Amino acid sequence: MRWMWIDTIVTYEPDRRLVAIKNVSLAEEHLHDHFPAKGALPAQPVMPACLMVEGMAQTAGILTGSLRRFKEKVVLAKIQKAEIHADVVPGQCIRYDARIERIDPMGAGTSGTIERFDHRTGQWEKIGETEIMFSHVDQNMSGLAFPEHNFVFSDSFRNVLRASGLGHLMD
Amino acid sequence: MHTNGDTMSISRADIEAKVTEVLESALGADADDIVPTATLTEDLGAESIDFLDIQFQLEKKFSTPEKPFKIEQGELFPENMMSNPEYVKDGKFTDAGMAVLKERMPHVDLAVFAADRNVKGLAKIFTVKSLCDFIELKLKK
Protein backbone atom coordinates (compact mmCIF):
# COMPACT_ATOMS: atom_id res chain seq x y z
CA MET A 1 0.00 0.00 0.00
CA ARG A 2 1.28 3.45 -0.93
CA TRP A 3 0.68 6.13 1.64
CA MET A 4 -0.84 8.54 -0.85
CA TRP A 5 -4.17 10.06 0.06
CA ILE A 6 -4.57 12.35 -2.92
CA ASP A 7 -4.93 11.24 -6.54
CA THR A 8 -4.18 14.40 -8.47
CA ILE A 9 -3.63 18.12 -8.17
CA VAL A 10 -6.17 20.21 -10.08
CA THR A 11 -5.27 23.78 -9.13
CA TYR A 12 -1.97 25.38 -8.23
CA GLU A 13 -1.59 29.08 -7.50
CA PRO A 14 2.10 29.70 -6.73
CA ASP A 15 2.89 30.67 -3.12
CA ARG A 16 -0.79 30.71 -2.26
CA ARG A 17 -3.12 27.80 -2.97
CA LEU A 18 -3.17 24.14 -4.03
CA VAL A 19 -6.23 21.97 -4.63
CA ALA A 20 -6.13 18.17 -4.78
CA ILE A 21 -8.70 15.48 -5.51
CA LYS A 22 -9.17 12.08 -3.92
CA ASN A 23 -11.54 9.54 -5.46
CA VAL A 24 -12.93 7.16 -2.87
CA SER A 25 -13.19 3.58 -4.14
CA LEU A 26 -14.49 0.31 -2.74
CA ALA A 27 -11.24 -1.26 -3.96
CA GLU A 28 -9.57 0.38 -0.92
CA GLU A 29 -9.11 -2.40 1.62
CA HIS A 30 -9.53 -0.26 4.68
CA LEU A 31 -13.10 0.72 3.78
CA HIS A 32 -14.15 -2.90 4.33
CA ASP A 33 -12.98 -2.65 7.91
CA HIS A 34 -14.48 0.79 8.45
CA PHE A 35 -17.14 -0.50 9.09
CA PRO A 36 -17.76 -4.24 8.46
CA ALA A 37 -21.13 -5.97 8.79
CA LYS A 38 -21.93 -6.87 12.37
CA GLY A 39 -24.85 -9.11 13.24
CA ALA A 40 -27.95 -7.74 11.59
CA LEU A 41 -26.17 -4.49 10.69
CA PRO A 42 -24.92 -4.37 7.08
CA ALA A 43 -21.42 -3.19 6.18
CA GLN A 44 -21.09 0.58 6.10
CA PRO A 45 -17.96 1.65 4.22
CA VAL A 46 -17.01 5.23 5.15
CA MET A 47 -13.81 7.12 4.42
CA PRO A 48 -12.07 7.51 7.81
CA ALA A 49 -11.98 11.15 8.89
CA CYS A 50 -8.39 10.78 10.07
CA LEU A 51 -7.38 9.86 6.51
CA MET A 52 -9.12 12.97 5.23
CA VAL A 53 -6.95 14.97 7.61
CA GLU A 54 -3.95 13.10 6.17
CA GLY A 55 -5.13 13.95 2.64
CA MET A 56 -5.34 17.60 3.56
CA ALA A 57 -1.93 17.41 5.25
CA GLN A 58 -0.45 15.98 2.04
CA THR A 59 -2.13 18.71 -0.03
CA ALA A 60 -1.05 21.54 2.26
CA GLY A 61 2.37 19.90 2.72
CA ILE A 62 3.02 19.88 -1.04
CA LEU A 63 1.93 23.53 -1.19
CA THR A 64 4.32 24.37 1.66
CA GLY A 65 7.13 22.39 0.02
CA SER A 66 6.57 24.15 -3.30
CA LEU A 67 7.31 27.53 -1.71
CA ARG A 68 10.97 26.54 -1.35
CA ARG A 69 11.07 24.33 -4.44
CA PHE A 70 10.98 21.19 -2.26
CA LYS A 71 14.43 21.96 -0.85
CA GLU A 72 13.12 22.04 2.74
CA LYS A 73 11.98 18.95 4.62
CA VAL A 74 8.41 19.84 5.43
CA VAL A 75 6.80 17.83 8.22
CA LEU A 76 3.40 18.09 9.81
CA ALA A 77 3.95 19.77 13.14
CA LYS A 78 0.58 20.65 14.55
CA ILE A 79 -3.09 20.29 13.72
CA GLN A 80 -4.72 23.32 15.26
CA LYS A 81 -8.14 22.56 13.88
CA ALA A 82 -9.74 19.64 12.03
CA GLU A 83 -13.51 19.66 11.77
CA ILE A 84 -15.29 17.19 9.48
CA HIS A 85 -19.02 17.03 9.83
CA ALA A 86 -20.19 14.61 7.13
CA ASP A 87 -19.24 11.15 5.83
CA VAL A 88 -17.72 10.38 2.45
CA VAL A 89 -18.63 7.02 0.92
CA PRO A 90 -17.28 4.99 -2.04
CA GLY A 91 -18.11 6.60 -5.38
CA GLN A 92 -17.79 10.12 -4.01
CA CYS A 93 -14.82 12.46 -4.50
CA ILE A 94 -13.03 14.61 -1.95
CA ARG A 95 -11.55 17.99 -2.79
CA TYR A 96 -8.82 19.39 -0.53
CA ASP A 97 -8.39 23.15 -0.95
CA ALA A 98 -5.27 24.34 0.92
CA ARG A 99 -4.05 27.90 1.38
CA ILE A 100 -0.92 29.38 2.89
CA GLU A 101 -1.65 31.70 5.81
CA ARG A 102 1.92 32.42 6.89
CA ILE A 103 5.39 31.26 5.92
CA ASP A 104 8.56 31.67 7.97
CA PRO A 105 12.05 30.12 7.81
CA MET A 106 10.91 27.83 10.65
CA GLY A 107 7.71 26.64 9.03
CA ALA A 108 4.30 27.53 7.66
CA GLY A 109 0.69 27.88 8.73
CA THR A 110 -2.06 26.68 6.37
CA SER A 111 -5.82 26.68 6.26
CA GLY A 112 -7.98 24.31 4.28
CA THR A 113 -11.48 23.37 3.31
CA ILE A 114 -12.65 19.84 2.56
CA GLU A 115 -15.49 19.27 0.11
CA ARG A 116 -17.23 16.16 -1.23
CA PHE A 117 -18.73 15.57 -4.65
CA ASP A 118 -21.70 13.30 -5.21
CA HIS A 119 -22.19 12.15 -8.79
CA ARG A 120 -25.93 11.77 -8.27
CA THR A 121 -26.44 15.43 -7.46
CA GLY A 122 -23.49 16.79 -9.41
CA GLN A 123 -22.82 19.14 -6.48
CA TRP A 124 -19.76 19.95 -4.38
CA GLU A 125 -20.54 20.40 -0.72
CA LYS A 126 -18.24 21.76 1.97
CA ILE A 127 -17.87 19.21 4.76
CA GLY A 128 -14.88 20.35 6.78
CA GLU A 129 -12.15 22.84 7.70
CA THR A 130 -8.57 22.48 8.86
CA GLU A 131 -5.72 24.59 10.20
CA ILE A 132 -2.40 22.77 9.95
CA MET A 133 1.15 23.91 10.74
CA PHE A 134 4.26 22.54 9.09
CA SER A 135 7.83 22.72 10.30
CA HIS A 136 10.96 23.00 8.21
CA VAL A 137 12.74 20.37 10.27
CA ASP A 138 16.28 21.45 9.45
CA GLN A 139 15.45 24.85 10.99
CA ASN A 140 13.98 23.42 14.18
CA MET A 141 14.76 25.17 17.43
CA SER A 142 15.92 22.02 19.17
CA GLY A 143 18.89 21.87 16.80
CA LEU A 144 18.35 18.18 15.94
CA ALA A 145 20.10 16.97 12.80
CA PHE A 146 18.21 15.10 10.06
CA PRO A 147 19.46 13.11 7.03
CA GLU A 148 20.61 15.26 4.14
CA HIS A 149 18.36 13.73 1.47
CA ASN A 150 14.78 14.95 1.38
CA PHE A 151 12.92 11.95 2.80
CA VAL A 152 9.63 13.85 2.91
CA PHE A 153 8.96 14.33 -0.79
CA SER A 154 9.34 10.74 -1.94
CA ASP A 155 8.92 9.31 -5.43
CA SER A 156 5.19 8.87 -4.79
CA PHE A 157 4.80 12.61 -4.24
CA ARG A 158 6.98 13.40 -7.21
CA ASN A 159 4.90 11.13 -9.41
CA VAL A 160 1.68 12.89 -8.41
CA LEU A 161 3.28 16.25 -9.16
CA ARG A 162 4.51 15.08 -12.56
CA ALA A 163 1.17 13.44 -13.47
CA SER A 164 -0.59 16.69 -12.51
CA GLY A 165 1.60 18.67 -14.89
CA LEU A 166 3.61 20.26 -12.07
CA GLY A 167 6.89 18.41 -12.53
CA HIS A 168 8.65 21.70 -13.29
CA LEU A 169 8.22 22.74 -9.64
CA MET A 170 10.84 20.17 -8.66
CA ASP A 171 13.48 21.43 -11.11
CA MET B 1 -11.14 48.00 24.43
CA HIS B 2 -10.01 51.01 22.47
CA THR B 3 -8.14 49.53 19.59
CA ASN B 4 -10.06 51.19 16.74
CA GLY B 5 -7.60 49.67 14.33
CA ASP B 6 -4.78 51.65 15.87
CA THR B 7 -2.39 49.33 17.67
CA MET B 8 -0.50 52.28 19.17
CA SER B 9 -3.42 52.93 21.50
CA ILE B 10 -3.69 49.43 22.90
CA SER B 11 -3.47 49.42 26.69
CA ARG B 12 -1.45 46.92 28.72
CA ALA B 13 -4.72 45.28 29.81
CA ASP B 14 -5.76 44.82 26.18
CA ILE B 15 -2.36 43.34 25.33
CA GLU B 16 -2.67 40.89 28.23
CA ALA B 17 -6.19 39.91 27.15
CA LYS B 18 -5.10 39.24 23.58
CA VAL B 19 -2.00 37.31 24.65
CA THR B 20 -4.21 35.19 26.91
CA GLU B 21 -6.50 34.44 23.95
CA VAL B 22 -3.51 33.38 21.85
CA LEU B 23 -2.15 31.09 24.58
CA GLU B 24 -5.57 29.55 25.18
CA SER B 25 -5.82 28.79 21.47
CA ALA B 26 -2.23 27.69 20.80
CA LEU B 27 -1.64 25.68 23.98
CA GLY B 28 -5.15 24.72 25.03
CA ALA B 29 -4.25 26.35 28.34
CA ASP B 30 -6.84 27.33 30.91
CA ALA B 31 -7.28 31.10 31.24
CA ASP B 32 -6.87 30.80 35.02
CA ASP B 33 -3.38 29.36 34.54
CA ILE B 34 -2.27 32.14 32.21
CA VAL B 35 -0.78 34.48 34.81
CA PRO B 36 2.19 36.86 34.26
CA THR B 37 4.70 34.60 35.99
CA ALA B 38 3.62 31.39 34.19
CA THR B 39 6.36 29.93 31.98
CA LEU B 40 5.29 28.86 28.51
CA THR B 41 6.98 25.47 28.67
CA GLU B 42 6.79 24.22 32.26
CA ASP B 43 3.56 25.85 33.41
CA LEU B 44 1.58 26.01 30.16
CA GLY B 45 3.00 22.94 28.36
CA ALA B 46 4.40 24.59 25.23
CA GLU B 47 6.54 22.44 22.92
CA SER B 48 8.95 23.76 20.31
CA ILE B 49 6.42 23.95 17.45
CA ASP B 50 4.03 25.86 19.71
CA PHE B 51 6.45 28.79 19.70
CA LEU B 52 5.93 29.19 15.95
CA ASP B 53 2.17 28.85 16.41
CA ILE B 54 2.23 31.53 19.12
CA GLN B 55 4.32 33.79 16.88
CA PHE B 56 1.90 33.42 13.94
CA GLN B 57 -1.15 33.97 16.13
CA LEU B 58 0.33 37.06 17.79
CA GLU B 59 1.01 38.52 14.35
CA LYS B 60 -2.59 37.96 13.36
CA LYS B 61 -3.97 39.30 16.62
CA PHE B 62 -1.98 42.55 16.65
CA SER B 63 -2.01 43.32 12.92
CA THR B 64 -4.31 45.98 11.53
CA PRO B 65 -5.01 46.79 7.88
CA GLU B 66 -2.97 49.98 8.34
CA LYS B 67 -0.11 48.44 10.27
CA PRO B 68 0.90 44.81 9.87
CA PHE B 69 2.50 43.28 12.97
CA LYS B 70 5.32 41.12 11.67
CA ILE B 71 7.67 39.24 13.99
CA GLU B 72 11.01 38.48 12.37
CA GLN B 73 12.81 35.18 12.85
CA GLY B 74 14.70 35.20 16.15
CA GLU B 75 13.04 38.41 17.33
CA LEU B 76 10.73 36.86 19.93
CA PHE B 77 12.55 33.62 20.73
CA PRO B 78 16.31 33.08 20.26
CA GLU B 79 17.20 31.05 17.20
CA ASN B 80 20.39 29.87 15.56
CA MET B 81 22.30 30.44 18.80
CA MET B 82 22.53 26.93 20.25
CA SER B 83 24.75 25.60 17.48
CA ASN B 84 27.10 28.59 17.56
CA PRO B 85 30.16 27.72 19.70
CA GLU B 86 30.81 31.40 20.25
CA TYR B 87 27.51 31.69 22.10
CA VAL B 88 27.14 28.23 23.66
CA LYS B 89 29.98 26.12 25.01
CA ASP B 90 29.61 22.85 26.94
CA GLY B 91 25.88 23.37 27.20
CA LYS B 92 26.17 26.82 28.74
CA PHE B 93 25.86 30.33 27.36
CA THR B 94 29.18 32.17 27.11
CA ASP B 95 29.65 35.85 27.99
CA ALA B 96 29.23 36.67 24.30
CA GLY B 97 26.05 34.55 24.15
CA MET B 98 24.61 36.30 27.21
CA ALA B 99 25.41 39.69 25.68
CA VAL B 100 23.57 38.76 22.48
CA LEU B 101 20.60 37.42 24.44
CA LYS B 102 20.43 40.66 26.43
CA GLU B 103 20.58 42.76 23.29
CA ARG B 104 18.10 40.73 21.24
CA MET B 105 15.67 39.90 24.02
CA PRO B 106 14.96 43.05 26.06
CA HIS B 107 11.53 41.57 26.81
CA VAL B 108 12.88 38.74 28.98
CA ASP B 109 14.22 38.84 32.53
CA LEU B 110 17.63 37.19 32.41
CA ALA B 111 18.43 37.68 36.12
CA VAL B 112 17.76 34.08 37.22
CA PHE B 113 19.04 32.51 34.00
CA ALA B 114 22.32 34.44 34.23
CA ALA B 115 23.30 32.53 37.38
CA ASP B 116 23.12 29.14 35.65
CA ARG B 117 23.32 29.83 31.89
CA ASN B 118 22.43 26.21 31.09
CA VAL B 119 20.74 25.98 27.66
CA LYS B 120 18.22 23.56 29.11
CA GLY B 121 16.88 26.35 31.28
CA LEU B 122 16.52 28.84 28.45
CA ALA B 123 12.90 28.00 27.69
CA LYS B 124 11.97 28.89 31.26
CA ILE B 125 12.77 32.56 30.73
CA PHE B 126 9.72 32.88 28.46
CA THR B 127 6.79 33.80 30.63
CA VAL B 128 3.39 35.30 29.89
CA LYS B 129 4.81 38.62 31.11
CA SER B 130 7.73 38.42 28.68
CA LEU B 131 5.32 37.96 25.77
CA CYS B 132 3.29 40.97 26.88
CA ASP B 133 6.48 43.02 27.33
CA PHE B 134 7.59 42.01 23.84
CA ILE B 135 4.30 43.17 22.32
CA GLU B 136 4.34 46.43 24.26
CA LEU B 137 7.95 47.22 23.30
CA LYS B 138 7.36 46.35 19.66
CA LEU B 139 4.19 48.43 19.37
CA LYS B 140 6.06 51.45 20.74
CA LYS B 141 8.71 51.22 18.01
Side-chain angles (χ1 to χ4, degrees), chain B:
Chain B
M1 301 282 279
H2 42 92
T3 55
N4 297 326
D6 178 5
T7 49
M8 293 300 286
S9 66
I10 293 181
S11 68
R12 178 73 183 196
D14 286 343
I15 290 172
E16 287 173 355
K18 287 187 171 192
V19 166
T20 298
E21 284 172 17
V22 166
L23 295 177
E24 280 182 290
S25 164
L27 305 178
D30 196 301
D32 292 340
D33 295 330
I34 304 172
V35 294
T37 52
T39 59
L40 301 188
T41 51
E42 288 199 331
D43 295 330
L44 301 178
E47 295 180 19
S48 62
I49 190 62
D50 294 322
F51 286 86
L52 191 61
D53 190 8
I54 291 167
Q55 179 188 321
F56 286 178
Q57 290 203 37
L58 288 174
E59 288 180 344
K60 217 171 181 176
K61 195 67 97 178
F62 289 96
S63 281
T64 63
E66 301 77 31
K67 197 176 177 191
F69 188 81
K70 173 95 196 298
I71 301 169
E72 301 299 333
Q73 187 185 19
E75 191 182 350
L76 176 55
F77 305 112
E79 286 166 25
N80 306 325
M81 290 187 73
M82 311 298 188
S83 54
N84 188 333
E86 194 188 333
Y87 299 149
V88 176
K89 202 174 175 187
D90 301 327
K92 294 206 171 195
F93 271 75
T94 61
D95 288 344
M98 289 302 293
V100 171
L101 268 185
K102 200 173 175 183
E103 186 198 330
R104 286 193 200 166
M105 313 272 149
H107 48 285
V108 296
D109 182 358
L110 290 169
V112 176
F113 180 73
D116 178 48
R117 296 190 180 193
N118 192 317
V119 291
K120 287 180 183 164
L122 186 62
K124 291 184 204 163
I125 65 176
F126 293 100
T127 59
V128 174
K129 180 180 178 297
S130 68
L131 282 190
C132 295
D133 288 348
F134 171 79
I135 302 287
E136 196 168 27
L137 284 168
K138 192 167 167 68
L139 289 175
K140 278 182 190 161
K141 278 181 190 170

Side-chain angles (χ1 to χ4, degrees), chain A residues 48-140:
Chain A
C50 57
L51 291 178
M52 286 196 260
V53 177
E54 173 67 24
M56 176 57 88
Q58 293 187 356
T59 305
I62 290 174
L63 174 60
T64 302
S66 72
L67 298 175
R68 302 275 159 87
R69 291 266 167 179
F70 301 98
K71 300 287 187 266
E72 295 276 5
K73 299 177 190 93
V74 173
V75 297
L76 192 160
K78 187 171 180 178
I79 299 170
Q80 296 136 303
K81 176 181 176 183
E83 292 178 359
I84 297 170
H85 50 78
D87 288 337
V88 178
V89 297
Q92 294 182 325
C93 300
I94 307 171
R95 184 159 65 189
Y96 300 112
D97 192 333
R99 290 163 195 271
I100 291 287
E101 293 292 327
R102 179 75 170 80
I103 179 84
D104 185 273
M106 296 272 289
T110 68
S111 63
T113 57
I114 301 175
E115 297 161 293
R116 74 174 172 191
F117 181 80
D118 191 310
H119 293 274
R120 291 180 193 84
T121 63
Q123 301 287 318
W124 283 103
E125 178 192 2
K126 182 178 164 186
I127 61 165
E129 289 182 354
T130 60
E131 288 176 17
I132 301 177
M133 282 190 71
F134 295 88
S135 171
H136 295 144
V137 290
D138 292 324
Q139 316 284 340
N140 67 85

Side-chain angles (χ1 to χ4, degrees), chain A residues 155-171:
Chain A
D155 285 345
S156 298
F157 279 104
R158 291 171 180 272
N159 289 340
V160 168
L161 278 161
R162 277 191 205 99
S164 304
L166 296 170
H168 61 279
L169 296 179
M170 300 177 288
D171 294 340

